[in-house]
Amino acid sequence: MRIAVNTRLLLPGRLDGIGWFSYESLRRIVAAHPEHEFLFLFDRKPDPQFLFAPNVKLLVLCPQARHPVLWYLFFEWSVTRVLRRYKADLFLSPDGWMSLRTKVPTLTVIHDLNFEHASDYLRPSHQRYMTRFFPRFARKATRVATVSEFSKQDLVDTYGIGAEKIDVVYDGSHSNYQPVSEEQQQSTRLKYTQGKPYFIFIGTISKRKNITNILLAYDKMRAATPQSQEKLVVVGHKFWWEGEVVEAYENMRFKDDVVFLGRAEADELSLLLGSARALLYCSLFEGFGIPIIEAFNAHTPVVTSNLTSMPEVAGDAALLVDPYDTDAMAEAFARIATDDELCSTLVERGLSRRNLFNWDRTATLLWESMSKTIQQC
């Protein structure tokens, strides 16, 4: 069988949530199924590290799909042409985009529908494209995979597709995330926070990630808890740094204790997460929330939102808060900062919870979904 895969988000040093999903699941699938040929479709020269096995062929298509017009040209023309030329038996798209013009059986992975529930999470041009095309992608696809029961139900409710067409494959956690020794914790704190304990936020700085309310709640916590010394380390690209988030930051009493690091490589990020007092992951909308599981693996307590998929992923192993209520968030941050017993309890619960989500399971479930897609045709 010849399987074509949209791999445009496999970017060295720049893997985000969907990029890691693609990387971790694909490298397992191609190794487990040497009897099949895999065509990895890139929109720029690929890094050799993504040649996972001898049964993988790397192809570069034009144009680079980084803008709505170019998305359309890439998927509706270039991808369609390659699928026809190579006589692909299946097209897998781990990031939700696909061709509406192809007749090749297609499995698309739609991680979440955040763009359907708010108009200001994305750039306007991206928002218009996704709200126009993703309903068509979901209906056109032979099957759809997603990463949580929440997202599956959201696809059913929002797009009106049958639940029997959707497979839940979940996400996993990078193997680098493990407990960090006391010596490593001390050296990490010395490097980034002058030896002080710290909370950590991980994710692209965007409105959906709720960084404004995290900053406001952190400032309230510090003001209300004079004995706490926790700094706030922010790891992620400043995709959105204007308006209310800049105003919130500039008006902070404790803004000098906020450390912006930008992107961090996986090895360094594992040290940062494992050395943190807690992960603050109070997003407004998530299809899964990979950092929650990464924190469980690193033995780091978690404060996360009580909305969308996050309660499903976290279970009883995190403090759940209303991400719109900065007072409730500040109270949760203070509890984590001052209650060692609570932190120990959350870590123990996280060790049990993490076993439900790993990339081996993701790859197995995704392959089962791919097999179902072929069998339907």
Side-chain angles (χ1 to χ4, degrees):
M1 186 164 63
R2 181 172 288 161
I3 301 169
V5 188
N6 162 27
T7 51
R8 69 190 181 97
L9 295 186
L10 290 183
L11 300 170
R14 294 171 55 193
L15 295 179
D16 59 9
I18 298 178
W20 281 118
F21 174 92
S22 303
Y23 177 86
E24 296 289 356
S25 57
L26 289 174
R27 70 185 185 92
R28 287 167 169 80
I29 287 173
V30 300
H33 298 280
E35 71 277 16
H36 300 303
E37 180 184 7
F38 293 83
L39 307 176
F40 282 10
L41 311 183
F42 292 86
D43 67 348
R44 61 187 65 194
K45 184 178 180 180
D47 192 288
Q49 68 175 292
F50 301 128
L51 189 64
F52 296 136
N55 57 329
V56 174
K57 183 180 180 66
L58 308 183
L59 301 176
V60 181
L61 283 59
C62 293
Q64 290 188 2
R66 307 292 153 171
H67 178 277
V69 172
L70 303 181
W71 290 339
Y72 183 85
L73 294 175
F74 182 83
F75 286 100
E76 297 303 329
W77 295 96
S78 297
V79 168
T80 303
R81 187 181 304 116
V82 165
L83 296 177
R84 183 170 58 247
R85 176 185 174 188
Y86 284 88
K87 296 182 172 56
D89 298 294
L90 173 69
F91 178 50
L92 168 66
S93 182
D95 65 13
W97 275 255
M98 55 174 278
S99 168
L100 295 171
R101 298 175 65 241
T102 187
K103 296 181 180 179
V104 173
T106 298
L107 171 65
T108 188
V109 186
I110 300 178
H111 293 252
D112 65 66
L113 298 179
N114 70 82
F115 51 88
E116 295 286 3
H117 299 285
S119 61
D120 55 358
Y121 288 166
L122 301 172
R123 295 170 182 165
S125 59
H126 295 197
Q127 180 87 16
R128 288 191 296 271
Y129 181 96
M130 295 179 78
T131 53
R132 177 182 180 185
F133 282 96
F134 267 69
R136 299 168 69 185
F137 292 161
R139 296 177 188 126
K140 165 73 174 177
T142 312
R143 293 194 70 79
V144 176
T146 192
V147 292
S148 63
E149 290 293 340
F150 164 80
S151 287
K152 177 177 180 176
Q153 190 59 49
D154 199 19
L155 283 161
V156 172
D157 294 341
T158 305
Y159 289 160
I161 60 177
E164 70 282 355
K165 181 180 175 176
I166 307 170
D167 301 312
V168 178
V169 300
Y170 302 107
D171 273 319
S173 169
H174 198 290
S175 60
N176 279 20
Y177 295 98
Q178 298 177 0
V180 174
S181 70
E182 184 61 36
E183 182 180 353
Q184 289 175 311
Q185 291 183 34
Q186 290 177 1
S187 63
T188 301
R189 288 193 291 265
L190 283 171
K191 181 177 179 179
Y192 292 105
T193 59
Q194 297 81 48
K196 301 291 186 182
Y198 62 87
F199 299 130
I200 191 169
F201 165 88
I202 299 172
T204 301
I205 299 176
S206 64
K207 191 162 187 177
R208 179 169 64 89
K209 297 298 184 179
N210 202 30
I211 188 64
T212 299
N213 281 350
I214 290 173
L215 292 173
L216 293 172
Y218 168 77
D219 212 39
K220 288 182 178 182
M221 183 279 293
R222 288 294 306 276
T225 317
Q227 70 272 28
S228 66
Q229 296 183 317
E230 279 77 10
K231 292 179 180 287
L232 174 59
V233 173
V234 178
V235 183
H237 171 60
K238 284 187 176 181
F239 175 80
W240 172 68
W241 190 253
E242 60 186 18
E244 65 183 40
V245 66
V246 174
E247 182 180 357
Y249 173 70
E250 292 297 338
N251 290 329
M252 288 179 68
R253 176 179 169 185
F254 295 93
K255 69 178 179 181
D256 290 342
D257 287 332
V258 181
V259 181
F260 292 93
L261 297 184
R263 291 183 181 272
E265 295 295 330
D267 289 344
E268 192 67 15
L269 189 53
S270 67
L271 287 175
L272 283 161
L273 181 56
S275 303
R277 180 68 176 181
L279 170 70
L280 309 183
Y281 198 72
C282 305
S283 178
L284 300 178
F285 197 107
E286 294 293 331
F288 185 85
I290 292 176
I292 297 172
I293 306 303
E294 293 170 342
F296 291 167
N297 282 325
H299 295 195
T300 299
V302 176
V303 182
T304 193
S305 301
N306 61 3
L307 303 178
T308 64
S309 67
M310 288 165 279
E312 176 185 343
V313 174
D316 66 350
L319 288 185
L320 301 181
V321 297
D322 180 348
Y324 294 98
D325 186 341
T326 56
D327 290 333
M329 292 167 64
E331 181 181 348
F333 299 172
R335 289 182 65 194
I336 288 287
T338 58
D339 192 336
D340 291 338
E341 185 175 349
L342 171 63
C343 290
S344 296
T345 298
L346 293 177
V347 168
E348 288 299 319
R349 291 175 179 174
L351 296 181
S352 299
R353 192 74 186 163
R354 67 178 181 172
N355 295 326
L356 299 175
F357 308 104
N358 60 76
W359 291 123
D360 288 338
R361 184 187 186 200
T362 300
T364 298
L365 292 173
L366 184 59
W367 177 256
E368 290 176 0
S369 186
M370 293 163 67
S371 300
K372 289 179 186 177
T373 303
I374 289 294
Q375 291 166 7
Q376 283 185 214
C377 298

